[in-house]
Amino acid sequence: MTIETSAPSALSPELDLAHIDDAECRRFTSAVELIGKRWSSGILLAIARGASRFSEIVAVVDGLSDRLLAQRLRELEATGLVRRTVIPSTPVQVRYALTERGRELLESLQPLARWGQRWLEPRAERRADAGGGKDRGAQD
């Protein structure tokens, strides 16, 4: 998806979107899919806030199951966002921490989080507006 345009952008002038090529678009899509997986951002945030053990993470990420936490931790470790450390003790301890890459990702998400605070309703409010049924997502 190479974007080339000579027309003026409706976006702010400091955003240079004309140079985005196919490779950049694919990297962006991969990043969004990674962080957009259910529970991934909550797990990263829990670790950033100090949860370092499996039981601590599952306790602070509401609704997350042990099975899904194990799966997401493996994925986040494989992508270099989380570091897993095994402490040889009795019993063996496993600790999780953000890598530099993981910290940088969370920092880069702050503008998106601020945008969400400004423009999106919390899920509970959307459910209440929809008559208390299933969360149907954002509706315009």
Side-chain angles (χ1 to χ4, degrees):
M1 156 176 112
T2 303
I3 300 175
E4 293 183 26
T5 180
S6 58
S9 173
L11 299 173
S12 71
E14 66 271 3
L15 291 177
D16 180 15
L17 302 177
H19 75 282
I20 298 175
D21 61 13
D22 289 341
E24 285 184 68
C25 189
R26 283 190 296 275
R27 280 191 298 272
F28 173 78
T29 301
S30 294
V32 168
E33 288 172 353
L34 172 66
I35 199 62
K37 276 190 170 179
R38 189 161 189 197
W39 310 114
S40 292
S41 57
I43 293 166
L44 291 173
L45 186 58
I47 295 170
R49 289 180 171 169
S52 63
R53 300 182 70 176
F54 189 96
S55 60
E56 294 170 343
I57 298 167
V58 82
V60 298
V61 181
D62 190 37
L64 177 60
S65 70
D66 289 357
R67 183 185 64 80
L68 277 171
L69 175 56
Q71 180 181 343
R72 288 296 180 267
L73 284 170
R74 282 190 299 271
E75 293 168 357
L76 295 170
E77 184 182 8
T79 56
L81 298 174
V82 170
R83 179 181 55 255
R84 180 179 185 266
T85 303
V86 178
I87 301 167
S89 61
T90 306
V92 171
Q93 294 182 40
V94 178
R95 303 273 180 174
Y96 297 93
L98 293 181
T99 61
E100 181 180 349
R101 183 183 293 188
R103 285 188 300 276
E104 189 175 319
L105 177 59
L106 277 182
E107 289 171 11
S108 72
L109 292 173
Q110 292 306 306
L112 183 59
R114 284 191 298 275
W115 180 88
Q117 288 170 342
R118 179 174 177 178
W119 294 103
L120 299 177
E121 295 175 7
R123 286 178 177 234
E125 289 178 25
R126 288 196 315 251
R127 279 194 296 270
D129 290 345
K134 281 186 163 180
D135 181 10
R136 293 176 184 88
Q139 298 176 358
D140 291 331

